[in-house]
């Protein structure tokens, strides 16, 4: 598939693991890392090595194991953080150090009790130190979504000059509207003189339900990397869902972007992450939810049975999902009833369905969903 590549930076094992109850041990992290490499993620953020001995070991084991994916470790703009991350990542075939600091006035004042100039100095020092260990350094400007664009551009220009090769522009609190986030990327593209020496990256949170929309807007504004998690896991309301941004770019090929993700593995890995991290996926979740390819409204069912594209823009096989489902409820119509009976081996004429339908509706009004067994019981009674 032609088009400009958008790199997929997966942070399921770092930001996703920050969900209460989703802590993983080294064995679990390693197993998921291998699957994420099979999925085709370009960069895998394996953890925050300085945070605990267990996370250091997990990052180190992943670094020893992955063959193609760039292994990344997070650090604050602190010397010890960076040195510990470098040590954990050292066995990797290719690795990235991800370091940074808050840049919004709120963070500068309340987190760091510093000045804007002091923050720039700390950012430059962190990037220069990280470059001693690798030529692949990503800088995050935490709370960039609420950072003044002119100041943000100054920070970004300074850290590129110091050696940063990827610039993470996080909407840390999920505050931005898509047009604002796109405009922020466009501002950096147009006002940072050395921007051609680095890649802009989207890291969006979902506090207002806009993480996916913002990430796509960021790409349209000039970013070429999206940071995301399987099932949208992450702090508070979560991060950008990998499966969503990948399929948006896949379905809207007219935008001119592509990824390296094997989309047929999206549903299988979603289920694995859900099971290992003990975090269920909401049924109506886009792409990977249990109801993503289910139809229960009679109007929808009739249209779908005549032509699937009337109500489905994605073939379930493309994302590794089971075939589309016709769910029988009190809202279902005759065509759906005939279809389900036919799948069970009952070939009824239209007149037969007209007789069976009122019986079906009486049962459907008493139950949330009419099952296979219910249909067999109705058909058996009708045949007598």
């Amino acid at each position: 598939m032609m088009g400009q590549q958008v790199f997929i930076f997966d942070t399921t094992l770092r930001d996703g693991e920050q969900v209460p109850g989703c802590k993983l041990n080294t064995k679990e992290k390693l197993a998921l890392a291998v699957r994420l490499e099979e999925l085709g993620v370009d960069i895998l953020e394996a953890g925050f090595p300085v945070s605990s001995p267990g996370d250091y070991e997990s990052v180190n084991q992943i670094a020893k194991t992955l063959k193609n994916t760039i292994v990344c470790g997070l650090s604050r703009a602190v010397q010890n953080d960076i040195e510990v991350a470098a040590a954990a990542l050292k066995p990797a075939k290719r690795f990235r150090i991800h370091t940074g600091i808050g840049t919004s006035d709120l963070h500068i004042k309340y987190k760091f009790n510093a000045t804007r100039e002091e923050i720039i100095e700390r950012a430059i020092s962190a990037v220069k130190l990280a470059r001693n260990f690798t030529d692949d350094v990503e800088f995050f400007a935490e709370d960039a979504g609420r950072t003044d664009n002119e100041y943000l551009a100054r920070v970004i220009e300074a850290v590129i000059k110091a050696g940063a090769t990827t610039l993470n522009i996080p909407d840390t609190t999920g505050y931005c509207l898509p047009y604002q986030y796109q405009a922020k990327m466009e501002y950096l593209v147009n006002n940072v003189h050395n921007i051609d020496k680095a890649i802009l990256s989207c890291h969006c949170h979902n506090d207002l339900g806009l993480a996916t929309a913002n990430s796509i807007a960021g790409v349209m504004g000039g970013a070429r990397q999206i940071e995301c998690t399987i099932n949208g896991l992450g702090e508070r309301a979560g991060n950008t869902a990998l499966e969503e941004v990948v399929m948006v770019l896949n379905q809207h090929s007219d935008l001119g972007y592509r990824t390296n993700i094997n989309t047929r593995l999206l549903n299988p890995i979603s289920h694995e992450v859900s099971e290992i991290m003990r975090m269920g996926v909401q049924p109506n979740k886009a792409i990977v939810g249990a109801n993503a390819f289910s139809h229960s409204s009679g109007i929808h069912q009739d249209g779908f049975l005549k032509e699937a594209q009337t109500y489905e823009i994605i073939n379930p096989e493309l994302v590794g999902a089971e075939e589309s489902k016709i769910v029988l409820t009190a809202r279902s119509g005759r065509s759906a009833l005939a279809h389900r009976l036919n799948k069970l081996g009952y070939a009824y004429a239209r007149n037969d369905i007209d007789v069976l339908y009122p019986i079906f509706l009486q049962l459907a009004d008493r139950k949330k969903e009419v099952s296979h067994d219910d249909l067999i019981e109705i058909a058996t009674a009708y045949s007598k």
Side-chain angles (χ1 to χ4, degrees), residues 76-94:
R76 295 165 296 182
V78 174
Q79 180 177 342
N80 187 55
D81 280 30
I82 294 167
E83 291 174 347
V84 170
L89 292 163
K90 190 175 181 180
K93 185 176 179 181
R94 294 188 297 165

Side-chain angles (χ1 to χ4, degrees), residues 14 17 20 47 70 86-87 137 146 177 194 205-206 235 244 263 310 323 350 364 373 382:
R14 200 278 298 172
E17 195 202 25
I70 296 170
V137 175
R146 294 187 294 177
L177 295 171
N194 52 2
H205 282 261
N206 206 37
E235 287 271 359
E244 293 178 10
T263 62
T310 55
E323 65 178 10
R350 179 72 189 194
D373 291 341
Y382 179 69

Side-chain angles (χ1 to χ4, degrees), residues 108-156:
I108 293 171
K109 179 180 179 180
Y110 294 107
K111 278 184 64 175
F112 303 110
N113 189 28
T115 66
R116 284 184 166 188
E117 295 307 318
E118 288 170 339
I119 291 298
I120 292 178
E121 290 173 8
R122 289 179 63 174
I124 291 170
S125 296
V127 170
K128 285 184 174 179
L129 177 59
R131 278 300 298 250
N132 289 333
F133 303 103
T134 178
D135 60 3
D136 189 346
V137 175
E138 178 168 342
F139 176 82
F140 66 83
E142 190 175 12
D143 205 23
R146 294 187 294 177
T147 298
D148 170 71
N149 284 349
E150 185 178 356
Y151 175 65
L152 182 61
R154 287 177 56 206
V155 175
I156 296 307

Side-chain angles (χ1 to χ4, degrees), residues 219-231:
V219 169
M220 294 173 69
R224 291 297 176 266
Q225 177 177 285
I226 296 176
E227 307 190 8
C228 45
T229 63
I230 300 295
N231 298 336

Side-chain angles (χ1 to χ4, degrees), residues 13 17 23-31 33 44-66 71-74 83-92:
L13 303 184
E17 195 202 25
K23 181 72 176 69
L24 300 173
N25 60 39
T26 297
K27 183 179 179 181
E28 291 169 330
K29 270 199 168 189
L30 185 57
L44 187 144
E45 190 164 48
F48 187 4
V50 81
S51 65
S52 73
D55 216 36
Y56 179 97
E57 177 64 16
S58 295
V59 173
N60 190 247
Q61 290 299 317
I62 292 169
K64 291 176 180 177
T65 303
L66 299 193
V71 183
C72 177
L74 183 72
E83 291 174 347
V84 170
L89 292 163
K90 190 175 181 180

